[in-house]
Amino acid sequence: MSRSFDHLLIDRVGTDGRVARITLNRPEKMNALSQELLFEFWDALHDLEADDSARVIIVRGAGRAFSAGYDLAPPRGGADGVVRRYRTSDDKGRRLLMGIRTGMQQITDIHLYFWNMAKVTIAQVHGYALAGGCELAMMADLVVAAEDAQLGHPGLRGLGTSRTGVIWPLVIGMRKAKELYYTGDSISGREAERIGMINYAWPKEDLEANTIALADRLANATADHLAILKLNMNRFYENMGIYSSVRSSTDMDAMAQMTAFSYAWQDKMRESMEAGTGLKGALDWREGMYRPDTPGLKR
């Protein structure tokens, strides 16, 4: 594949280069998922899907994290500019639901393509896989992580719902799925493996080598054979309602922008920006409500 990207690195590993690897490459932003990065990701996946020599795809992050989530404050224009913008408010400043929802569905379609593409995929998580970063990782076929990685969706704390529902109800038990969803708490890679959210948690120093070894083992089969196996597996989850559930989650995410909690978050964001403390000030306010001081709670 000859195409180059601004926010992704593409290379090959494994026996005879049969494992393709996509590295999210915005380390200065902890690989925050800007629209530009996501649309590049869409293009890279399409390129690799058409390349028969790529049997398995690993997705990882550069720098300190897999991805800290969606880019909450992209500057206008430049490398982090918004690719497509939908009308989200009228001339009186009232919010327009369908513009919000339609823009979100554009991103959901990228997640669903990642889920259903005709290649086996592995998310390799280190550091943080939070909010949109956790959503993206969960849509891979297999997920592996460093033992000390942090996975979760703090965006549930006033920013909306999870655009994909992070598919937790399909991969972990109902009680834990609800706890993580209602609190927005994060858990370690070690705990994520224990509850079945991910396949393996390894010491950080072993993560890359073990991930390549796992991908190379899967890649003993040809790309077309793996695609059939994946299609067979995914059909079960489609029949369980993954497509309708993910799309419904995106609708709920749009609606959740208009709750009392979300408006409080938006007000705090404006106040923080005006005070010069930026996003950090708003996050400090929100996260202070969720300090892990519940008796018996382990993180």
Side-chain angles (χ1 to χ4, degrees):
M1 188 177 66
S2 59
R3 191 190 320 212
S4 62
F5 299 97
D6 293 328
H7 305 302
L8 304 174
L9 299 174
I10 314 293
D11 68 343
R12 293 296 187 99
V13 294
T15 303
D16 298 324
R18 64 192 186 185
V19 176
R21 187 165 60 181
I22 301 174
T23 302
L24 310 179
N25 191 36
R26 299 183 75 208
E28 74 286 355
K29 295 284 187 75
M30 297 183 72
N31 301 314
L33 302 176
S34 65
Q35 286 194 38
E36 291 221 350
L37 183 149
L38 285 167
F39 281 103
E40 285 191 354
F41 186 64
W42 166 274
D43 287 338
L45 293 178
H46 276 83
D47 289 347
L48 289 170
E49 187 178 49
D51 187 340
D52 188 63
S53 70
R55 299 183 177 188
V56 176
I57 300 171
I58 295 171
V59 179
R60 64 175 185 170
R64 296 188 296 125
F66 177 80
S67 173
Y70 294 112
D71 193 339
L72 298 181
R76 299 291 182 263
D80 301 332
V82 174
V83 175
R84 295 185 178 94
R85 186 175 295 280
Y86 295 84
R87 192 179 187 204
T88 57
S89 60
D90 65 12
D91 295 338
K92 295 183 179 180
R94 294 172 296 197
R95 305 193 80 193
L96 300 174
L97 178 61
M98 282 308 294
I100 297 169
R101 182 260 186 195
T102 302
M104 288 180 171
Q105 285 288 1
Q106 292 286 315
I107 303 305
T108 295
D109 285 344
I110 296 174
H111 286 282
L112 284 173
Y113 175 70
F114 183 43
W115 163 265
N116 211 36
M117 68 180 298
K119 297 285 180 179
V120 171
T121 59
I122 302 175
Q124 175 186 319
V125 174
H126 76 289
Y128 298 105
L130 301 178
C134 189
E135 291 178 358
L136 184 65
M138 292 294 108
M139 299 304 276
D141 291 302
L142 306 181
V143 185
V144 298
E147 291 176 335
D148 63 353
Q150 291 292 305
L151 299 94
H153 205 302
L156 296 164
R157 300 170 176 176
L159 275 172
T161 71
S162 166
R163 201 165 297 184
T164 64
V166 287
I167 68 169
W168 289 337
L170 292 176
V171 297
I172 59 179
M174 179 183 72
R175 303 301 181 193
K176 197 64 179 180
K178 286 190 171 186
E179 177 189 342
L180 293 173
Y181 212 78
Y182 297 163
T183 63
D185 285 343
S186 299
I187 59 174
S188 69
R190 190 179 296 107
E191 175 69 2
E193 179 190 27
R194 188 188 72 79
I195 66 174
M197 182 190 292
I198 68 173
N199 296 85
Y200 297 104
W202 293 309
K204 185 177 180 180
E205 61 271 19
D206 298 330
L207 178 62
E208 182 167 313
N210 287 358
T211 304
I212 293 172
L214 174 61
D216 207 31
R217 185 165 185 261
L218 298 174
N220 282 321
T222 58
D224 61 339
H225 189 76
L226 289 169
I228 291 175
L229 298 180
K230 175 170 179 171
L231 178 61
N232 189 48
M233 274 278 94
N234 280 11
R235 281 286 163 84
F236 281 92
Y237 293 99
E238 289 170 23
N239 291 335
M240 292 165 66
I242 184 169
Y243 268 73
S244 60
S245 296
V246 167
R247 291 196 171 278
S248 175
S249 292
T250 307
D251 294 341
M252 298 293 179
D253 196 4
M255 288 186 273
Q257 312 298 310
M258 302 169 201
T259 66
F261 193 16
S262 183
Y263 284 133
W265 161 259
Q266 294 164 39
D267 289 342
K268 187 58 66 174
M269 276 284 287
R270 281 190 291 271
E271 293 170 11
S272 296
M273 293 297 181
E274 291 169 2
T277 56
L279 180 60
K280 183 180 185 302
L283 288 173
D284 288 345
W285 167 79
R286 188 189 69 186
E287 297 306 303
M289 293 185 269
Y290 289 94
R291 291 192 178 92
D293 53 2
T294 303
L297 189 63
K298 297 179 181 179
R299 289 284 166 252

